Amino acid sequence: MNRVVHPIEEESYRRLRARLDTSRLPPLTRAVVERVIHSAADLAYADDLVMDEAELVAAHAALHAGAPVVVDVEMVGAGITRRETVCRLKDAVAGPGLTRSAHGIRLAHEQVGPGALWVIGNAPTALEELLTLDARPALVIGLPVGFVGAVESKAALRESGLPAVSNVSEKGGSAVASAALNALLYHPTSVEETS
């Protein structure tokens, strides 16, 4: 992907790296950590994020091979650049024991089937619903924000054994969730490009 990096972004990364040494991290983990920190200007994400490099490598390959990207809300989709996303929230309806966000995830699952990358940055109930489905995801970026259900839904994601990017705290949100996906999207696809 040919992406022109703006000088402001270059300077932001220079300052980030001056304050936090990320050089010890594996390449995709480093890319995700740095882009999330960059999106939130919050260095604490370095110790808050949880991910596995091997899972990121597989997800990176799936993403660049054209796997669908599903988002829980349009705001997450708006933050993902240079890639179409699926969001079914507009078609969703709340019902007894089912939030609109959860129903949107059900509808998206029916549409895309297995192998998608799921990016959840807003609703813990969307993440909870995804965990009840047989989604067989390439990756779940589970970074919903909030004081009710966010920590618990992210813990459940980690316990599920699904390939995932999550964090331990209540922090999260649309910007950081889309940033995590963009890190994989922007990262070079060949070893030669990373040298």
Side-chain angles (χ1 to χ4, degrees), residues 36-191:
V36 166
I37 289 171
H38 175 260
S39 73
D42 185 350
L43 295 169
Y45 272 110
D47 296 319
D48 193 38
L49 288 165
V50 179
M51 66 198 90
D52 176 80
E53 183 72 8
E55 293 174 353
L56 295 179
V57 169
H60 180 264
L63 178 64
H64 288 277
V69 176
V70 181
V71 299
D72 63 331
V73 293
E74 293 289 341
M75 184 72 88
V76 173
I80 296 171
T81 56
R82 301 175 187 226
R83 189 63 186 267
E84 294 296 317
T85 62
V86 173
C87 182
R88 296 297 303 274
L89 186 61
K90 287 181 182 175
D91 305 316
V93 178
L98 185 71
T99 66
R100 231 176 111 227
S101 294
H103 188 230
I105 294 299
R106 279 189 197 177
L107 294 173
H109 178 255
E110 291 169 6
Q111 180 178 336
V112 303
L117 286 89
W118 295 79
V119 188
I120 298 175
N122 186 60
T125 59
L127 183 53
E128 291 165 0
E129 183 64 24
L130 179 60
L131 296 177
T132 69
L133 304 173
D134 183 27
R136 290 171 279 151
L139 184 70
V140 178
I141 296 174
L143 295 168
V145 63
F147 294 113
V148 178
V151 168
E152 296 82 358
S153 66
K154 290 180 275 193
L157 172 61
R158 290 189 299 277
E159 292 167 9
S160 74
L162 294 175
V165 173
S166 69
N167 69 311
V168 177
S169 73
E170 296 92 352
K171 295 189 299 188
S174 299
V176 297
S178 59
L181 191 281
N182 284 338
L184 299 178
L185 191 59
Y186 299 162
H187 200 273
T189 56
S190 71
V191 175

